[in-house]
């Protein structure tokens, strides 16, 4: 077997023989997703909570509000009601008054607007003119449209990013600290083979990661798969290669695990928020979009999401895949050029 | 003059600076093919820096280096295939076994020795399946040596190969060096053990503070001191060094704790006058011995410091 094979075996053995690495690769991302998935599981919409300030007219107002199923109303002392509004426990406080009661809302609470509409509708209704139900509401919670469906591909992308970055950056820096890189630099080892072995060994584990993720997304959350599993795997592996290549780049100089840890966070943190893991990246202002588009995690997440949820064919994902390819090749070239071996 | 093609290593005016620190301050070396050359010096003398420049791992600030008639700037790949090395310290991959590690290193060389033979040479046969993380310090150093030999090198560099080693590992290393020499390979090693240098090395270069203090065969270097014998003695009350120094045939006098070390030319001239001095001081001899001078005496003679002091400082 040639040196590339031997170097790959070295990486696989190191990963395989360290149970803690397996834990961080498989158990941890899955456990995180499980917790997040449970937190954002779709349940029936909670009713909006409102308070009526105590007073002679309060019982009458309360009775009218209680007729609305989407509202959960109760009477509170006015100071207490204001405090609960400030803490977000109620979305609206109704102060009885004549001729009309006054509604207090907190502009920073999105529920406030819903509460105001529901309350005014309830108060406007009279016994002979009941509340209008012109539009029938059907809750959408079919697989494929829920928040957890949005979340799963993004979490897969994020997990591929962080495991690729950490699983390469830390051992490389440790090898530099222990002079193993210097020792290898004293042999005729092909340096391209060395880096390639890290990338390829990483894709072996990334393949397991993707398979694991798909299986439990399907079984636990019933996340559908509208596209092709092979396409998803291929994109996932390209993503893992891309972040592995970035991991080489962040490790080109660092000597201590602390300093490379800082760099890994510097690279991954912004993408965790910008690249549509927890919410769509379209929420950011338009001038940021061109920048967000060319981030590797955006490209990966968008591709994974559209394969999984829209059944998009890989052939139409040219642009994001090109972004991933560029982010794989450029860091690799820079690494070959500037990597510090001694 | 040695014909240039007989030289395995040729170094002229080598200088290496790290900021204000001058680690190597103008060293010249000529190392012949098939010889074992020892670089001897205390800690911080510049030994590691010098060999790492020869190994192509560090760039010299200035100076000229040629190995096997080749140049690091032009023939780096070819040179890496023909040299072997051990670093002063290397942390190998703990999760791999001895055999896996050797096999990986062997795969880097176009012409490598068989895995079995490499493991056998350093007497790690029983540990073949052991994880590197579980080896003792001496076993790791022997493994490092096997890795240095993996490419069947023409030129082997060993940086403090036996520092802190157990006797078995030391012997194993000595045997390997002897074996290489018998096959006409060139070995460059650094050490601060005199006995090792005297046993293994055909020629020595003594360096201190980045400069060559002395060079030649171990015998020549010792002879150049102009000292034939060393007298060690302890007396009560303690002797006055100032009174011993001017005595006939005494070259130098030093005190270490209660023990006085005198380096002398002719023992038969020096000894009677030294004994007379003890008697005149009204003292009593508690110890007296004589021995042949060693490289350590040479080093003290050259620098006023012991080679071993450096080693002990490091261990402390
Ligand atoms: N990378 C470096 N940066 C700064 N100073 C260094 C570096 N490497 C060696 N030195 C200094 O150069 C001198 C020689 O070091 P070294 O070659 O390791 O000596 P030796 O191997 O003989 O103990 C020492 O003073 C050491 O501190
Ligand atoms: Mg050294």
């Amino acid at each position: 077997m040639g040196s590339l094979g031997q170097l790959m075996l070295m990486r696989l053995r190191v990963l395989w023989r360290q149970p803690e690495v397996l834990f961080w690769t498989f158990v941890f991302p899955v456990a995180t997703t499980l917790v997040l998935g449970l937190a954002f599981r779709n349940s029936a919409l909670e009713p909006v909570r409102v308070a009526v300030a105590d007073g002679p007219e309060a019982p009458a107002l309360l009775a009218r509000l209680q007729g609305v199923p989407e509202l959960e109303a109760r009477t509170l002392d006015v100071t207490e009601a204001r405090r609960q509004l400030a803490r977000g426990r109620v979305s609206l406080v109704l102060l009885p008054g004549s001729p009309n009661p006054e509604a207090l809302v907190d502009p920073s609470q999105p529920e406030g607007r819903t509460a105001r509409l529901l309350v005014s509708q309830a108060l406007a209704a009279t016994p002979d003119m009941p509340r209008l139900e012109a539009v029938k509401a059907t809750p959408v919670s079919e697989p494929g449209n829920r928040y957890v469906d949005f979340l799963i591909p993004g979490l897969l992308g994020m997990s591929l990013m962080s495991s690729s970055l950490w699983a390469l950056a830390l051992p490389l820096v440790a090898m530099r600290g222990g002079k193993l890189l210097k020792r290898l630099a004293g042999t005729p080892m092909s340096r391209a083979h060395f880096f390639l072995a890290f990338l390829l060994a990483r894709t072996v584990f990334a393949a397991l990661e993707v398979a694991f993720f798909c299986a439990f997304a399907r079984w636990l959350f019933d996340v559908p798969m509208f596209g092709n599993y092979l396409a998803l795997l291929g994109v996932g592996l390209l993503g893992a290669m891309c972040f592995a290549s970035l991991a080489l780049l962040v490790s080109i100089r660092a000597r201590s695990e602390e300093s490379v840890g800082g760099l890994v966070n510097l690279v991954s943190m912004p993408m965790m928020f910008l690249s549509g893991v927890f919410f769509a990246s379209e929420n950011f202002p338009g001038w940021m979009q061109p920048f967000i588009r060319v981030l590797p995690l955006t490209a990966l997440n968008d591709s994974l999401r559209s394969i999984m949820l829209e059944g998009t064919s890989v052939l139409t994902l040219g642009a994001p895949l090109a972004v991933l390819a560029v982010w794989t090749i450029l860091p690799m070239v820079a690494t070959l050029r500037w990597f510090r071996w001694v | 003059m040695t014909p240039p093609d007989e030289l395995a290593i040729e170094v002229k005016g080598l200088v290496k600076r790290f900021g204000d620190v001058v680690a190597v301050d103008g060293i010249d070396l000529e190392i012949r093919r098939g010889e074992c050359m020892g670089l001897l010096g205390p800690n911080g003398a510049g030994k590691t820096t010098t060999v790492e420049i020869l190994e192509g791992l560090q760039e010299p600030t200035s100076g000229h280096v040629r190995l096997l008639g080749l140049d690091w700037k032009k023939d780096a790949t070819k040179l890496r295939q023909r040299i072997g090395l051990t670093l002063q310290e290397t942390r190998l991959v703990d999760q791999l076994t001895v055999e896996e590690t050797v096999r990986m290193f062997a795969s880097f060389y176009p012409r490598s020795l068989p895995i079995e033979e490499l493991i056998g040479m350093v007497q790690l046969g029983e540990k073949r399946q052991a994880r590197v993380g579980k080896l003792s310090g001496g076993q790791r150093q022997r493994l490092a040596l096997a890795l240095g030999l993996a490419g069947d090198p023409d030129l082997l560099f060993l940086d403090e190969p036996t520092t802190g080693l157990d006797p078995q590992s030391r012997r194993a290393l000595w045997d390997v060096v002897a074996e290489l020499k018998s096959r006409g390979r060139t070995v460059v090693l650094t050490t601060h053990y005199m006995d090792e240098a005297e046993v293994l090395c055909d020629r020595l270069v003594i360096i201190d503070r980045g400069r060559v203090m002395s060079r030649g065969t171990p015998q020549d270097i010792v002879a150049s001191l102009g000292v034939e014998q060393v007298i060690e003695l302890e007396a009560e009350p303690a002797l006055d060094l100032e009174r011993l120094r001017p005595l006939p045939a005494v070259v130098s006098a030093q005190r270490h704790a209660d023990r006085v070390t005198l380096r002398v030319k002719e023992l038969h001239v020096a000894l009677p006058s030294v004994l007379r001095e003890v008697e005149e001081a009204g003292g009593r001899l508690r110890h007296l011995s004589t021995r042949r001078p060693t490289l350590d005496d040479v080093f003290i003679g050259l620098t006023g410091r012991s080679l071993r002091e450096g080693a002990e400082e490091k261990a402390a």
Side-chain angles (χ1 to χ4, degrees):
Chain A
M1 196 189 298
S3 62
L4 180 60
Q6 285 294 337
L7 286 163
M8 252 190 90
L9 271 180
M10 181 262 288
R11 283 304 299 156
L12 291 174
R13 282 169 175 148
V14 167
L15 293 170
W16 195 250
R17 289 173 187 174
Q18 293 185 102
E20 64 273 24
V21 170
L22 297 181
F23 174 83
W24 290 110
T25 312
F26 295 110
V27 183
F28 183 70
V30 168
T32 321
T33 312
L34 197 68
V35 171
L36 285 169
L38 288 175
F40 294 110
R41 204 182 29 180
N42 277 55
S43 52
L45 266 185
E46 294 281 317
V48 178
R49 275 189 279 267
V50 301
V52 180
D54 231 346
E57 290 153 61
L61 287 171
L62 190 66
R64 298 180 78 169
L65 297 182
Q66 276 168 343
V68 182
E70 290 98 332
L71 285 178
E72 186 188 301
R74 58 197 159 133
T75 333
L76 285 176
D77 160 65
V78 66
T79 348
E80 176 61 18
R82 279 176 182 271
R83 188 178 305 142
Q84 296 221 355
L85 178 67
R87 302 221 173 125
R89 295 216 191 98
V90 297
S91 307
L92 178 144
V93 173
L94 201 58
L95 299 173
S98 54
N100 288 321
E102 188 191 347
L104 301 179
V105 291
D106 177 352
S108 67
Q109 255 195 72
E111 293 268 271
R113 193 185 300 180
T114 321
R116 198 166 61 81
L117 287 172
L118 286 168
V119 166
S120 25
Q121 210 193 3
L123 297 182
T126 53
D128 44 303
M129 221 179 106
R131 214 159 73 91
L132 280 169
E133 293 267 16
V135 182
K136 184 169 162 286
T138 313
V140 181
S141 60
E142 284 144 26
N145 289 316
R146 304 159 306 167
Y147 180 58
V148 68
D149 303 319
F150 174 86
L151 198 56
I152 289 280
L155 286 175
L156 172 58
M158 185 178 82
S159 143
L160 285 171
M161 170 176 77
S162 37
S163 45
S164 299
L165 285 171
W166 290 109
L168 268 73
L170 289 182
L172 278 171
V173 170
M175 285 167 92
R176 184 174 291 123
K179 304 274 165 70
L180 182 50
L181 290 180
K182 187 189 254 188
R183 180 65 189 86
L184 291 170
T187 72
M189 176 191 76
S190 151
R191 297 181 179 191
H193 281 181
F194 177 78
F195 296 122
L196 208 54
F198 270 80
L199 261 59
L200 294 177
R202 175 70 204 126
T203 60
V204 172
F205 274 76
L208 297 175
E209 216 172 309
V210 172
F212 215 66
F213 227 90
C214 288
F216 91 94
R218 180 101 208 130
W219 287 325
L220 280 174
F221 297 112
D222 215 14
V223 176
M225 174 63 174
F226 291 110
N228 183 326
Y229 275 114
L230 267 182
L232 189 82
L233 179 67
V235 171
L237 295 192
L238 180 56
M241 286 265 265
C242 165
F243 289 111
S245 192
L246 276 171
L248 298 179
L249 186 64
V250 301
S251 322
I252 55 173
R253 304 261 114 181
R255 288 203 180 277
S256 74
E257 306 200 347
E258 291 79 15
S259 62
V260 84
L263 287 173
V264 165
N265 284 329
L266 189 71
V267 169
S268 56
M269 286 295 194
M271 284 196 270
M272 255 181 225
F273 297 107
L274 294 173
S275 295
V277 175
F278 300 100
F279 49 87
S281 49
E282 283 79 11
N283 288 329
F284 288 100
W287 61 265
M288 287 177 75
Q289 293 299 329
F291 167 71
I292 293 176
R293 288 294 104 205
V294 297
L295 292 177
L297 188 58
T298 316
L300 178 61
N301 281 348
D302 288 356
S303 309
L304 293 174
R305 205 165 266 144
S306 60
I307 292 174
M308 264 185 117
L309 304 181
E310 289 156 33
T312 311
S313 146
V314 223
L315 299 176
T316 60
L317 292 174
L321 295 188
V323 169
L324 289 180
V326 169
W327 278 109
T328 309
I329 293 163
L330 291 187
M332 184 77 175
V333 170
T335 302
L336 277 170
R337 176 80 186 71
W338 287 294
F339 194 78
R340 182 189 280 169
W341 289 87
V342 294
Chain B
M1 270 294 284
T2 321
D5 57 299
E6 285 291 304
L7 287 180
I9 298 176
E10 198 184 354
V11 174
K12 285 210 188 89
L14 190 66
V15 174
K16 177 69 177 180
R17 286 196 201 94
F18 297 103
D20 292 344
V21 181
V22 186
V24 179
D25 193 4
I27 284 184
D28 300 327
L29 291 174
E30 287 198 347
I31 301 173
R32 295 184 207 110
R33 291 193 193 216
E35 80 175 340
C36 177
M37 166 66 87
L39 294 183
L40 199 62
N43 258 317
K47 303 183 295 294
T48 297
T49 308
T50 305
V51 289
E52 288 190 354
I53 291 170
L54 300 184
E55 292 160 352
L57 296 174
Q58 297 195 31
E59 293 257 343
T61 306
S62 66
H64 166 92
V65 175
R66 266 179 103 71
L67 270 72
L68 305 166
L70 302 170
D71 193 322
W72 276 111
K73 289 221 172 58
K74 281 179 274 167
D75 317 293
T77 315
K78 215 182 275 174
L79 273 172
R80 286 197 192 97
Q81 291 174 356
R82 293 182 60 190
I83 66 167
L85 59 105
T86 65
L87 297 177
Q88 194 169 338
E89 283 164 275
T90 314
R91 192 168 172 79
L92 297 164
V93 185
D94 284 347
Q95 290 81 14
L96 296 187
T97 67
V98 167
E99 187 178 341
E100 288 162 356
T101 307
V102 175
R103 197 175 293 284
M104 178 174 83
F105 270 77
S107 78
F108 302 149
Y109 295 89
R111 174 194 69 166
S112 66
L113 291 177
I115 313 297
E116 294 303 306
E117 192 181 328
L118 287 167
I119 294 176
M121 274 169 98
V122 297
Q123 298 168 24
L124 280 176
E126 286 167 24
K127 290 285 170 185
R128 179 176 305 147
Q129 301 300 337
R131 298 269 173 94
V132 172
K134 299 253 191 292
L135 298 181
S136 72
Q139 290 165 340
R140 277 180 215 205
Q141 225 147 332
R142 277 187 272 152
L143 174 59
L145 177 62
L147 302 178
L149 297 168
D152 194 13
D154 293 325
L155 190 48
L156 181 67
F157 296 93
L158 305 171
D159 196 0
E160 297 201 15
T162 58
T163 302
L165 275 201
D166 55 285
Q168 187 206 347
S169 299
R170 259 185 122 187
R171 274 250 67 95
L173 178 114
W174 289 15
D175 290 348
V176 167
V177 172
E179 150 88 17
L180 283 174
K181 272 189 348 192
S182 73
R183 282 167 40 204
R185 304 294 153 87
T186 312
V187 181
V188 177
L189 63 83
T190 75
T191 184
H192 45 234
Y193 293 121
M194 315 312 125
D195 53 345
E196 183 163 289
E198 292 189 83
V199 170
L200 292 179
C201 301
D202 303 308
R203 287 196 307 142
L204 294 173
V205 171
I206 297 185
I207 44 182
D208 188 38
R209 303 197 169 112
R211 292 194 188 180
V212 175
M213 309 295 296
S214 174
R215 62 174 93 220
T217 65
Q219 297 73 26
D220 288 348
I221 290 182
V222 172
S224 72
L225 191 59
V227 166
E228 281 169 13
Q229 286 285 334
V230 178
I231 303 173
E232 305 217 18
L233 75 163
E234 267 174 59
E236 217 171 89
L239 291 165
D240 183 1
L241 288 185
E242 291 315 314
R243 292 180 60 92
L244 294 174
R245 283 200 179 107
L247 295 180
V250 170
V251 176
S252 74
Q254 271 184 324
R255 188 199 308 282
H256 207 296
D258 289 339
R259 171 128 343 162
V260 172
T261 305
L262 298 173
R263 295 181 183 80
V264 301
K265 277 205 185 84
E266 295 104 346
L267 190 60
H268 65 276
V269 178
L271 196 54
S273 51
V274 170
L275 291 177
R276 204 171 307 121
E277 188 63 34
V278 174
E279 201 184 323
E280 279 171 15
R284 210 157 55 83
L285 259 189
R286 282 175 37 201
H287 172 91
L288 176 84
S289 62
T290 66
R291 59 176 172 81
R292 293 181 38 72
T294 65
L295 284 169
D296 200 29
D297 297 301
V298 175
F299 194 78
I300 294 168
L302 289 170
T303 67
R305 289 175 294 133
S306 166
L307 270 170
R308 223 168 262 125
E309 275 165 29
E312 278 153 14
E313 272 162 31
K314 190 185 177 190

